[in-house]
Amino acid sequence: KGFLLQFASHYIVKMVLFPLLQVFSYIETHHRLNWLPSLLFRREPEIVFDAPHRLNPGLNLPAFMFIKDANRFPIHLKKITAAIGLLDVHRIFFLEFAPETESLNDKFYLQKFEIPLPDEYYGKVSLNFKLDYISDGKEKFALNDNIPYLQHTPYMVNISDSPLPLAEGWIAGDAHFHSSFTDDEVEYGAPVETVPLIGKAAGLSFAFLLDHSYDLDPRNPFTEPGSFERQHGDAAKATDAAFAVVKGEELSAINKAGKTVHAGLVNPSRFRQGYRDSGRIMSKEGDTLLSELETVEENELLFAAHPGFKPVLLEKLLLNRGGWSNQDIDSVRVIQLINGYTNAEFFRNRKLWIDALLRGRTVFVVAGNDAHGDYSKTRKIGVPLFTSNENMTHVFGVNRTLVPSAVNADSIIRAIKSGRGVVSNGPFLMLQAMQSGTIFETGRKIKGAAVLKIDVLSTKEFGSIQTVRLYSGIIGSLRENVLKEWHFTGDTLSSELTIDVEPSELTYVRAEVYTDKKRDSGMIFAATNPIWMDI
């Protein structure tokens, strides 16, 4: 009876539950059940085009075509046609690209494009790509992708008239991204070399590759052994003076309650195992405990990945998944505040952070998107094996970590670990304390009264400044309070605010800003890390 239960639960996890868990990614269509056909299955490789969701001014628009599993289902490439719609001026033009190869039988194939745009054009651009190809002797075409049941909608790119709002010496990046080294039954990410291509165009200067630890593991049947080392090599090769591709893993770790949670481990010196919630093995052998990671090396960064995520009942029962508790948060110094939408999960992330601060913990924040490729829209599995859909929930570079840093991994990690970072999906925000001619940045602790200075910078792309809030939290209290709130009207895109503060007991202060715009993924805002003030 015990053996049959174990076998049945393992089969359910591997063949049924696992597809339910990965809901946003480039969609793997070749996973099938032995006893149930998949309506997503096609005897041809996956074909996906992609482009950035925004473009800094003065740049040509990059895009690419990624074809996966042609080693199993060879095809013949004929012609690529791009339709570029300049929506704000009601114009459309067409470009044709010749495939760089004709007969394709490789597991991964990447072809990059550069699309010139008219000078002084700013606004929305729609991109439609058509690939004509021959599969199994039949002439076919793919429009934007060939994933069954997707809407195949155009890629929408905002051509901005200004760069991302940043102060001098600050850079922006995505702290949670999956590359093609995330590769399993239902999902895969984008080739590493596309990260700087799209990242630079969107105004970013770094990205953390957090591929699943169970996909980097030598036991992963979908990749060759050595994925961990090859990911590091590809990241180093893709890094240059203008963009840092930083190696890492999204580690399935065991928390203090014995449940599996996900942690971002950035710039690891060695591979940490985390295989149990892969859906492929039920053994506890080789689990990495969160407690073993409490003292990571100086040049490594550990953070709680999407800590407000709530596993469903089957995930809890069959994959041992749990959530980050207050006790778990006390094991880390950094948490991911934003992960896609600013929805209920975001507010759970925020509450975990605030609760930790009120308990006297020194905890800082980063922002990322958990995008698996998905540079301009998110592809999702709907009903496993049967349907798929697309939206804008987890798009690379929408939520950003801002740091005053050089463009290299060590400098970026030092800035985050020291608490100088800001999280944003739009405006720039900086909080400083001025005391006797000395300026103290976030992450610092000062004693006595100080003048707090808040600098805000936005652009037309992200909206006018609407509200700035300065929060304070007395250590040991149950909740934080709004110390001061500023409201703005009109087209205010920058502001410098000051306030005198004298603490009566150990207190932290932090700032948030909101603009008058919204996007599909929620509010547009930014938040600083705290400054601690004592008597």
Side-chain angles (χ1 to χ4, degrees):
K1 182 180 177 181
F3 171 79
L4 289 175
L5 284 173
Q6 185 178 12
F7 177 82
S9 62
H10 173 67
Y11 192 81
I12 291 170
V13 167
K14 181 177 180 181
M15 306 303 288
V16 179
L17 178 62
F18 192 76
L20 285 166
L21 307 183
Q22 315 299 329
V23 294
F24 40 87
S25 63
Y26 292 162
I27 297 171
E28 170 61 55
T29 63
H30 299 136
H31 173 65
R32 291 191 293 180
L33 302 179
N34 296 336
W35 45 270
L36 184 65
S38 169
L39 295 184
L40 300 179
F41 181 83
R42 298 292 186 273
R43 300 191 67 82
E44 57 184 51
E46 295 94 351
I47 301 169
V48 173
F49 289 86
D50 219 336
H53 78 280
R54 72 176 301 276
L55 183 71
N56 262 2
L59 302 176
N60 286 334
L61 177 57
F64 65 85
M65 176 179 68
F66 184 38
I67 300 178
K68 181 176 176 289
D69 292 337
N71 59 325
R72 297 177 59 188
F73 307 102
I75 60 173
H76 184 86
L77 308 183
K78 293 182 63 179
K79 184 177 65 173
I80 301 163
T81 306
I84 300 96
L86 308 179
L87 302 187
D88 289 25
V89 294
H90 307 289
R91 287 179 54 200
I92 188 170
F93 65 94
F94 297 86
L95 295 174
E96 284 194 5
F97 301 93
E100 293 173 353
T101 187
E102 293 184 354
S103 297
L104 183 60
N105 56 7
D106 299 324
K107 180 175 182 179
F108 296 122
Y109 173 77
L110 174 69
Q111 182 166 342
K112 295 175 279 189
F113 315 100
E114 192 170 79
I115 299 171
L117 297 172
D119 292 339
E120 304 304 319
Y121 176 78
Y122 306 111
K124 291 291 184 183
V125 166
S126 68
L127 298 175
N128 281 291
F129 295 96
K130 180 189 176 190
L131 171 67
D132 291 287
Y133 63 99
I134 298 174
S135 173
D136 197 23
K138 299 177 183 178
E139 292 199 6
K140 298 184 177 182
F141 72 89
L143 179 63
N144 296 327
D145 58 63
N146 69 337
I147 309 301
Y149 307 112
L150 287 184
Q151 294 90 332
H152 313 294
T153 55
Y155 301 96
M156 304 302 296
V157 186
N158 182 55
I159 313 302
S160 183
D161 62 355
S162 58
L164 289 176
L166 293 167
E168 184 176 355
W170 286 69
I171 60 175
D174 190 322
H176 191 161
F177 180 73
H178 290 260
S179 78
S180 55
F181 287 97
T182 289
D183 185 14
D184 50 52
E185 289 88 342
V186 292
E187 65 181 348
Y188 57 97
V192 174
E193 65 182 283
T194 66
V195 181
L197 174 76
I198 304 298
K200 290 177 188 178
L204 305 186
S205 297
F206 69 91
F208 295 162
L209 302 187
L210 296 187
D211 293 304
H212 291 297
S213 56
Y214 51 74
D215 288 334
L216 294 171
D217 196 287
R219 291 170 285 183
N220 176 19
F222 294 88
T223 62
E224 298 175 1
S227 291
F228 181 72
E229 293 77 16
R230 284 185 289 112
Q231 186 224 49
H232 290 196
D234 284 4
K237 185 178 178 181
T239 295
D240 58 27
F243 198 95
V245 181
V246 186
K247 62 193 179 185
E249 58 177 303
E250 183 174 9
L251 175 62
S252 296
I254 306 304
N255 67 6
K256 294 183 178 180
K259 302 298 181 180
T260 304
V261 295
H262 286 189
L265 185 59
V266 183
N267 201 33
S269 58
R270 58 185 176 84
F271 178 64
R272 270 80 160 194
Q273 289 188 103
Y275 202 71
R276 199 178 349 160
D277 67 341
S278 67
R280 307 184 193 114
I281 190 170
M282 305 300 289
S283 171
K284 300 178 182 179
E285 182 181 354
D287 281 344
T288 297
L289 305 179
L290 270 183
S291 58
E292 298 172 348
L293 298 168
E294 290 181 1
T295 54
V296 295
E297 297 178 18
E298 183 178 353
N299 59 345
E300 294 179 329
L301 170 66
L302 174 72
F303 66 85
H306 44 74
F309 168 75
K310 280 192 171 183
V312 298
L313 179 61
L314 283 178
E315 291 175 290
K316 295 177 181 178
L317 294 177
L318 298 178
L319 291 185
N320 192 49
R321 281 194 175 171
W324 283 80
S325 66
N326 286 337
Q327 188 180 22
D328 298 324
I329 295 296
D330 288 346
S331 300
V332 297
R333 293 282 303 274
V334 180
I335 74 166
Q336 183 179 352
L337 182 62
I338 323 177
N339 188 60
Y341 275 5
T342 48
N343 56 7
E345 181 180 311
F346 161 76
F347 287 102
R348 289 193 294 269
N349 296 340
R350 188 173 178 269
K351 186 177 187 305
L352 283 167
W353 179 41
I354 293 170
D355 287 348
L357 295 176
L358 293 172
R359 291 196 304 275
R361 307 298 301 180
T362 302
V363 181
F364 305 125
V365 288
V366 293
N369 299 279
D370 208 354
H372 295 52
D374 294 332
Y375 287 118
S376 59
K377 59 182 174 181
T378 307
R379 295 156 172 93
K380 301 179 65 173
I381 288 179
V383 179
L385 308 175
F386 288 95
T387 66
S388 57
N389 55 64
E390 54 192 42
N391 54 34
M392 293 291 292
T393 51
H394 294 267
V395 174
F396 174 75
V398 169
N399 301 306
R400 300 176 288 275
T401 301
L402 317 180
V403 286
S405 171
V407 184
N408 65 72
D410 289 344
S411 179
I412 294 164
I413 289 171
R414 279 198 302 271
I416 291 172
K417 292 174 76 169
S418 67
R420 297 195 63 194
V422 170
V423 299
S424 174
N425 59 14
F428 174 77
L429 179 65
M430 182 167 61
L431 172 66
Q432 297 174 316
M434 297 179 290
Q435 192 179 65
S436 303
T438 302
I439 296 177
F440 296 90
E441 310 290 347
T442 54
R444 298 290 302 275
K445 181 178 178 180
I446 62 175
K447 291 189 176 183
V451 177
L452 298 184
K453 179 171 173 282
I454 302 172
D455 292 288
V456 192
L457 179 63
S458 188
T459 62
K460 290 189 294 182
E461 177 183 1
F462 299 112
S464 300
I465 301 166
Q466 186 175 63
T467 304
V468 176
R469 292 194 187 102
L470 181 66
Y471 292 92
S472 69
I474 297 172
I475 306 305
S477 63
L478 296 179
R479 66 177 200 152
E480 63 180 19
N481 300 299
V482 176
L483 186 62
K484 175 75 174 178
E485 186 169 283
W486 295 266
H487 296 279
F488 299 82
T489 58
D491 298 327
T492 305
L493 297 178
S494 64
S495 182
E496 182 179 301
L497 308 167
T498 59
I499 180 174
D500 295 321
V501 175
E502 183 170 2
S504 58
E505 50 191 310
L506 180 57
T507 304
Y508 70 82
V509 291
R510 64 179 192 87
E512 292 183 358
V513 59
Y514 303 85
T515 74
D516 62 357
K517 276 195 174 183
K518 296 284 188 291
R519 57 161 52 99
D520 289 344
S521 56
M523 61 188 179
I524 294 179
F525 87 114
T528 73
N529 276 299
I531 294 174
W532 284 264
M533 305 181 71
D534 204 353
I535 58 174

